Amino acid sequence: MDSIEFKLEYSEEQEASVITIYVNNESLVERMKRYEAQFESEIAGLYEGLNIEMVDHIEAHFTGRLQEDDIFN
């Protein structure tokens, strides 16, 4: 059975806590990096998890109920 996890991790690049998605114990970013590398290897996987300081309602973000004013600028 496949699994999905949302883990809170610290990002040194963003200097903040981010939510990282794992599918079957592997980072979704790493999975996407392998896929994207076929097309543009130099920019494949150059992103991180969602900075929790930028979204007011994390649960709403991941369940499709996020409102425009829930995102901090």
Side-chain angles (χ1 to χ4, degrees), residues 6-7 34 45 52 54 58-59 63 71:
F6 297 82
K7 294 184 180 180
R34 281 197 311 274
I52 64 168
M54 300 200 59
I58 298 287
E59 182 180 333
T63 57
I71 300 172

Side-chain angles (χ1 to χ4, degrees), residues 1-7 20-26 28 62:
M1 175 181 225
D2 291 324
S3 65
I4 186 167
E5 294 178 83
F6 297 82
K7 294 184 180 180
T20 304
I21 300 172
Y22 286 82
V23 177
N24 296 332
N25 298 315
E26 181 183 14
L28 182 59
F62 286 107

Side-chain angles (χ1 to χ4, degrees), residues 9-58:
E9 301 177 331
Y10 184 77
S11 164
E12 290 191 25
E13 184 174 318
Q14 294 186 49
E15 296 182 349
S17 294
V18 300
I19 294 179
T20 304
I21 300 172
Y22 286 82
V23 177
N24 296 332
N25 298 315
E26 181 183 14
S27 164
L28 182 59
V29 171
E30 287 302 314
R31 286 176 165 250
M32 294 303 300
K33 183 177 184 175
R34 281 197 311 274
Y35 176 76
E36 294 170 343
Q38 304 172 72
F39 308 104
E40 191 62 55
S41 62
E42 293 169 10
I43 62 169
L46 293 181
Y47 37 81
E48 292 189 301
L50 175 67
N51 183 328
I52 64 168
E53 295 176 5
M54 300 200 59
V55 178
D56 194 22
H57 302 285
I58 298 287

